[in-house]
Structures are given as C-alpha cells and as structure tokens.
Amino acid sequence: MNKSIKFVYDTSLLNYHFHNNHPFNQLRVLLTKELLEDSGQLSQEQIISPRIATDEEIALVHDPIYIHTVKSAETLNREHLLSYGIGTEDTPVFSNMHEAAAKIVGATLSAVDAVLQNNADHAVNFAGGLHHGFKNRASGFCIYNDAAIAIKYIREKYNLKVLYIDTDAHHGDGVQEAFYSDPNVCTFSIHETGRYLFPGTGNTNERGIKEGHGYSFNLPIDAFTQDESFIDIYETALREIADYFKPDIIITQNGADAHFYDPLTHLCGSMKIYEKIPKVALEISKKYCNNKWIALGGGGYDIWRVVPRAWAQVWNVMKDEQPMKGSLPTTWLNKWESKATSPLPVTWHDKLEEIPTIPRKKEIEEKNKYALENLLKYTKVKRS
Amino acid sequence: MHVEEIMNRNVITLQPNDTISKAHQVLVENKIRHIPIVDDDFFVVGIVSDRDVRDALPSKLSNEKTTNILDREIATIMSSPVLTAHPLDFVEEVARIFYDQEIACLPVISNEKLVGVITEKDLLYTLIQLTGTHVQGSHIEVKVPHKPGILPEVASVFGKRKVNISSVLVYPYRNDPQYKILVFRAQTMNPLPIIRDLREAGYELMWPNNIPEPRV
C-alpha cells in the first residue's frame, strides 16, 4: 500500500484573516498541520506549496467585475462594496484581501493538479472549502469559491464527472448554484436545516434545473442531531448517490462545525462523525474514482477543541485507511495549551461524559429519516 | 403593497367567440390556469379556468368524439360577471378575496380595461418575500410581552451589532394574548453575538436557542 498523498500548505494561507474577533480563523490550518506532524503522520515530502490562482481561473466562476471589486476593496466606497457582499460583518474588508483569497483558490488548484497531473491518489487543502462564495457576491465568510472554481477547472481541463460532497453544518449553496444545471457535476450537501441556520436553503426539493435536474442532493437534518442519526443517514445517502452518479473524482468539503462544541450551529455530533466521514469518502474514491479524492476544509469555529482533530482524521484516513485512536501527542498539547481559549482535548475521541443529552432525540431521528426518504425518492426509480 | 407591484402585465386573453379547443390549447401551451375573456376594447366580459375547460371535455378514458364540444364558443362555459381587482388595491385585500371566494385569480382592471392578472402563485411568492427566506440569513425567534415599544427595543440589539434585518414577522403566541413571537431574519452567518445579547437582556428565545448551549 504505497499511496501518494499531498498536503497543500504554506504560511501565506493564514493571510485570509478578517480581524481578531472574527469567528473564521485560519490558525486552524496550522494547528491541524502541527497536530499531524507531532503525531508522526505528516512528512516534509508530503507537503506542497500552494500556487496563486490567476484571474482567468477565478473567472471560471466569478464575474470579472466582482474580482475587480475584491482587488480594489480598500479604495472603493462602502455602498458599492456592500452590493457585492463585501464590508459586511460577515465578510469585512481586510488588506490584501484579493491576494489572500486567490491564494486559497490556488491552493485548491494545487491539490487538483497534484492528483490529476502528478498522480497523487489524494490531496488536501484545509484552507479551502469556501462554499458560500457566489458569482457576484461574497457571503458567509467566503470571498472566492475555491471548490466551485476547482470543479470548473476539472471539467474544462480533464472532462471528469465530479461528485462534490459537503459535510459542513451550513448548506453548500454557492457550489450548488454554480452547477445547478450541470448534469456532469453532482453536488451533495448534508447540513442543519435552513429553518433557523444560515443560509436558509438546502431543502430536499432543491434538485437542480434543466439538464442538471436530479444532480443536486440536499439532506437537511434537524437541530441537535447526534452521531447515530447523522452517520446512519449520511452513509446511506452518499452510497446511494455515488452509485447513481458514478463519479470519476470526488471533492469533499470538510467543514467541521457540526460538533456539539461548535458555537455557530445547533448540530450535536461528536468526533465520531469526523472519523466516519472520511472513511466513507475513501470507500467511494476507491470504488468509483481509482482513488482520486481531493479534500478541502470549510467551516469550523471551535478551532481548539474540534477542527484540528477533525481535519487531521481526514488525513489519517487517507494515509492509513483508519482514523487515529488514543492520546494526542504531548508535544502538540504543550505547544498550544497556553494559547488555547479553552482546555485542549487530550484524546482523539470525545469523552463520553462531555457529550450532551438531547431532549426530543427520537423525534429528531424520525425527522431525519423522513428527509433521507425524500432525498432518495428518485434515484432508484430513475435507474430501474 | 399594491397589486400593481406584483401583478403579471403580460396577460394572455381570448375573446368570447373563440373556441373551447383554443382555450384548452392556450392553457396547456402557456402552463396557465386562467384566461380572462375580453371584448374588442379589452373590457373583461368573463374568465375561464382550466377546471371550466376540463369540465366541458369528455373523460379521457371514454371514446366519445369531442369535436362538436371543442368547437363551441368559450362564452358558453366562461364565468361572468367577473370579480376583479384594481392596481392600487392592497395585496392583503386580494388574499382575503381568494380565501373567502375560494378562487385563485383576479383580472386587474383600470379605466375599464384589463391591465394585468394576479394569481395565488403571485401571492405565495409575496409571502416568501415577507418571510425573508429568499435571501441568505439566520432565523431568530423571540417571545416578548405584547406591549408598546417592545419591537424597537428588541430590534435595537440587531442594530447595535450592525446586522441587517431582512424581515420581521409578529406572530401570536399560541392563544395567549399577553405575548407575541417576533421572528427576525438576520443577514449574517454569525448570529451568536445577537443571541447572547438577547439572552443577557432577559428576552426569552425560542427553539433552537431555548436550550442552553452545550458548548459554553
């Protein structure tokens, strides 16, 4: 088993930084990288530096005028910026915004090139996965939609069928919209129902339009959903969708905000879901894609207790086909302990006593099952 | 909101002496359910719904020849006189008429001429806009005592956090007239500061913010 896997990283990816009180904090990426290094899981040969995306590449998804607006954000007036979703509380202006955002896109494209040009089996860019970026508008902490750009890039350059899998607790609306009428790109997003949570979309009945009808899948799950229900319906849905679509390559968006510690969402998963998600992705990549799998980051707002472990497990599964177990390396804990805003976890899994007890658990499970049935209503029929 | 803001101005019409067959074709081709029937001056003399046309057709399961029936004039099956709306009527008045009369379309008349139609579907779209669910946002429900000044008080929390509100709805709280539910749709992915401010100010939040955060 001599697999080639690549980890895209350099410190320029940390420049995507709104301000110190903003919940989106790319220190997560460094924490993940060091956790892997200190666990002996990541070597220097596996790390590749990101390139920067060209304007033409960004324009695969975004309007040139929007790109121009991002480039000139520091000089344009507030009203103008707001019409492009820039300068809001969610996506405030910061200096060299374009360069930082274009670097993240470039990093995702570097991951794509590693797999499709240089024959790596899998590649990760945890700085990417900014799935709320739209053609003409920044939103939800996202400026350029690196995932959508990478998919367009793969379509144009390699003509492969792409399955995009989004496990962020928020609906992957920007990516869905970019491929809503495209039958060669299948998008699947599992997320907390949009009834309460941003952005509000992602209902099962959003299935795509025109030729793309039947290639957008949405699995909205109830607030306070826990491990068993999440894993059960997620696995069933993904296996069925993959078998229906038969992708050539998968791109996973690994937002790590469905955890009970995450401050921005109401989902209640534990580390168990972050052990299972990459295992199912691996299975799909082997079965249909001759291993081709690119993993991205995404949301994740408990940057100390949740995100580093969740993302590191994606890499661990790529490398060893199994998530890590037992204690976290003390070197990592000692290094970050004093900087962390909450006590760091000491094991890869969550302690049982920390997992909250949720009222209405049965009701939540039943509603999620119902969403799953709705989601898969047409896949079996279409093939028979 | 006025009817003229949401009505459809490109109205497909027929004349009373057109055939039922023509009406059937127009309904199918344009995927519409109502056709206002007008005279040469665009004065509305009747309306035909897809149900009127279907009622006139023989069952598709029978072998009966349909030609004579389909050649008859629309005037023989249209409803008349017609309930109509004015461009400056309120959308809520139209909703009331639809509900009370159990109909789903009103021709809109100005100076005795047809200028548009408003349908059930236009009203539903307006409802979607009123709820603010057509734009990205987070949804927050607050239970408040039904008293003067409460709305600006709660809304100021959003203002202080510089978060745009895309819609506000005021619902009754079950059958208790002492309380109301305020529903805010806020244009942010990070409603946490607002939720904490509301809690600290003593407001009662509804699901899913009414059970304590496991993470604090």
Side-chain angles (χ1 to χ4, degrees), chain A residues 104-378:
Chain A
I104 287 184
V105 177
T108 297
L109 296 178
S110 297
V112 171
D113 289 338
V115 171
L116 293 178
Q117 255 174 41
N118 304 322
N119 298 319
D121 294 283
H122 319 307
V124 302
N125 171 28
F126 289 125
L130 305 184
H131 62 171
H132 296 305
F134 284 84
K135 190 176 179 190
N136 266 320
R137 191 164 42 91
S139 85
F141 316 160
C142 305
I143 300 167
Y144 296 139
N145 194 323
D146 59 294
I149 294 166
I151 296 170
K152 274 261 155 78
Y153 178 84
I154 293 171
R155 290 292 310 141
E156 297 206 345
K157 217 169 155 188
Y158 302 96
N159 192 28
L160 300 178
K161 283 173 73 184
V162 186
L163 173 58
Y164 169 80
I165 305 162
D166 187 321
T167 46
D168 194 285
H170 299 88
H171 175 221
D173 54 354
V175 181
Q176 170 174 302
E177 174 152 313
F179 303 100
Y180 211 46
S181 58
D182 187 343
N184 294 305
V185 177
C186 181
T187 61
F188 168 44
S189 179
I190 182 171
H191 44 262
E192 179 183 333
T193 162
R195 277 176 208 146
Y196 313 100
L197 194 72
F198 184 95
T201 44
N203 212 320
T204 43
N205 62 19
E206 293 165 31
R207 293 184 191 272
I209 49 166
K210 299 177 189 163
E211 289 80 40
H213 184 83
Y215 297 98
S216 288
F217 290 92
N218 286 292
L219 190 48
I221 55 177
D222 237 39
F224 303 107
T225 293
Q226 295 193 286
D227 292 343
E228 292 162 346
S229 177
F230 186 108
I231 291 170
D232 179 32
I233 65 170
Y234 174 70
E235 276 188 300
T236 311
L238 182 52
R239 289 196 180 113
E240 176 68 23
I241 291 165
D243 191 47
Y244 166 73
F245 181 67
K246 304 207 164 47
D248 300 319
I249 183 168
I250 56 171
I251 296 193
T252 59
Q253 195 273 16
N254 296 274
D257 48 359
H259 192 277
F260 63 83
Y261 279 139
D262 194 275
L264 289 200
T265 80
H266 313 100
L267 294 181
C268 250
S270 78
M271 286 311 297
K272 275 200 184 137
I273 65 173
Y274 296 112
E275 291 165 10
K276 195 70 196 188
I277 287 168
K279 281 189 83 169
V280 191
L282 182 76
E283 174 193 316
I284 303 293
S285 77
K286 278 192 194 169
K287 190 164 174 193
Y288 302 96
C289 310
N290 193 19
N291 295 338
K292 291 189 282 295
W293 168 23
I294 289 142
L296 308 173
Y301 307 99
D302 191 315
I303 68 159
W304 300 105
R305 291 179 293 185
V306 179
V307 186
R309 287 187 298 165
W311 286 353
Q313 293 289 33
V314 175
W315 179 262
N316 292 333
V317 169
M318 282 181 167
K319 180 173 171 289
D320 302 329
E321 310 218 332
Q322 288 300 327
M324 294 279 282
K325 287 194 178 102
S327 304
L328 297 184
T330 44
T331 34
W332 187 81
L333 292 171
N334 293 339
K335 193 165 17 175
W336 295 105
E337 208 165 42
S338 59
K339 299 185 183 75
T341 50
S342 38
L344 292 171
V346 294
T347 54
W348 285 96
H349 61 273
D350 288 314
K351 295 229 157 57
L352 224 54
E353 62 271 20
E354 283 170 15
I355 300 174
T357 315
I358 299 300
R360 291 165 67 167
K361 187 170 181 220
K362 281 275 159 263
E363 197 182 314
I364 291 167
E365 287 174 356
E366 197 261 327
K367 278 166 94 175
N368 289 345
K369 265 237 142 58
Y370 177 74
L372 176 70
E373 278 165 27
N374 254 326
L375 176 85
L376 299 177
K377 204 167 262 181
Y378 300 105

Side-chain angles (χ1 to χ4, degrees), chain B:
Chain B
M1 195 184 279
H2 290 130
V3 165
E4 66 179 4
E5 289 170 55
I6 66 163
M7 71 185 189
N8 184 353
R9 289 165 200 273
N10 303 319
V11 192
I12 296 156
T13 61
L14 288 174
Q15 296 215 326
N17 55 358
D18 282 319
T19 61
I20 295 178
S21 148
K22 179 111 184 252
H24 184 248
Q25 189 189 340
V26 165
L27 289 169
V28 172
E29 279 174 7
N30 297 288
K31 291 188 180 162
I32 55 174
R33 288 185 291 185
H34 302 87
I35 311 169
I37 311 300
V38 295
D39 65 14
D40 291 337
D41 298 323
F42 242 59
F43 179 84
V44 176
V45 296
I47 189 164
V48 163
S49 73
D50 58 346
R51 225 194 285 185
D52 297 331
V53 171
R54 269 188 216 141
D55 284 348
L57 299 180
S59 161
K60 68 175 171 189
L61 301 176
S62 84
N63 296 321
E64 203 179 317
K65 288 252 305 174
T66 59
T67 35
N68 331 348
I69 296 171
L70 292 175
D71 287 344
R72 284 193 203 162
E73 291 188 350
I74 295 174
T76 58
I77 60 163
M78 71 185 188
S79 306
S80 173
V82 185
L83 287 174
T84 59
H86 187 270
L88 297 180
D89 284 347
F90 276 11
V91 171
E92 49 268 47
E93 293 175 284
V94 171
R96 187 83 231 179
I97 294 169
F98 282 178
Y99 182 80
D100 288 343
Q101 308 295 324
E102 300 182 346
I103 57 171
C105 174
L106 287 178
V108 184
I109 311 292
S110 177
N111 295 315
E112 309 222 315
K113 283 190 195 313
L114 179 71
V115 293
V117 285
I118 177 166
T119 67
E120 197 172 47
K121 197 172 168 182
D122 300 322
L123 279 189
L124 286 174
Y125 186 65
T126 306
L127 178 65
I128 291 170
Q129 285 182 307
L130 287 178
T131 59
T133 46
H134 61 303
V135 290
Q136 291 176 309
S138 301
H139 176 114
I140 300 166
E141 297 189 6
V142 193
K143 180 182 163 193
V144 294
H146 188 30
K147 65 171 194 194
I150 192 75
L151 181 61
E153 224 175 80
V154 178
S156 71
V157 172
F158 293 75
K160 272 184 207 130
R161 291 287 178 179
K162 292 191 207 135
V163 168
N164 213 9
I165 296 171
S166 52
S167 96
V168 186
L169 297 175
V170 183
Y171 285 101
Y173 175 69
R174 295 186 185 148
N175 283 325
D176 190 343
Q178 306 222 33
Y179 293 95
K180 288 280 181 187
I181 302 292
L182 302 180
V183 180
F184 292 90
R185 208 143 169 102
Q187 282 179 290
T188 180
M189 183 152 121
N190 182 19
L192 196 65
I194 294 169
I195 287 167
R196 293 206 169 133
D197 288 354
L198 288 169
R199 264 193 206 135
E200 271 164 35
Y203 295 112
E204 190 179 336
L205 294 163
M206 305 294 286
W207 178 268
N209 297 311
N210 55 350
I211 67 177
E213 294 169 62
R215 54 275 315 170
V216 284

Side-chain angles (χ1 to χ4, degrees), chain A residues 10-83:
Chain A
D10 75 15
T11 51
S12 70
L13 295 174
L14 308 184
N15 295 340
Y16 191 89
H17 183 77
F18 293 104
H19 56 74
N20 288 338
N21 293 321
H22 196 285
F24 189 93
N25 187 343
Q26 292 293 51
L27 183 61
R28 315 172 291 168
V29 184
L30 176 63
L31 292 170
T32 305
K33 172 184 165 272
E34 297 208 344
L35 175 58
L36 285 167
E37 285 172 335
D38 294 341
S39 308
Q41 287 292 90
L42 176 63
S43 65
Q44 283 311 305
E45 305 81 68
Q46 289 169 316
I47 298 177
I48 53 176
S49 295
R51 63 181 176 89
I52 191 159
T54 63
D55 287 6
E56 291 72 39
E57 285 166 340
I58 298 170
L60 287 169
V61 166
H62 299 283
D63 259 358
I65 182 149
Y66 171 67
I67 301 171
H68 175 78
T69 304
V70 176
K71 281 184 174 172
S72 332
E74 284 172 275
T75 55
L76 291 170
N77 76 53
R78 199 175 140 73
E79 292 305 307
H80 177 85
L81 289 173
L82 284 176
S83 67

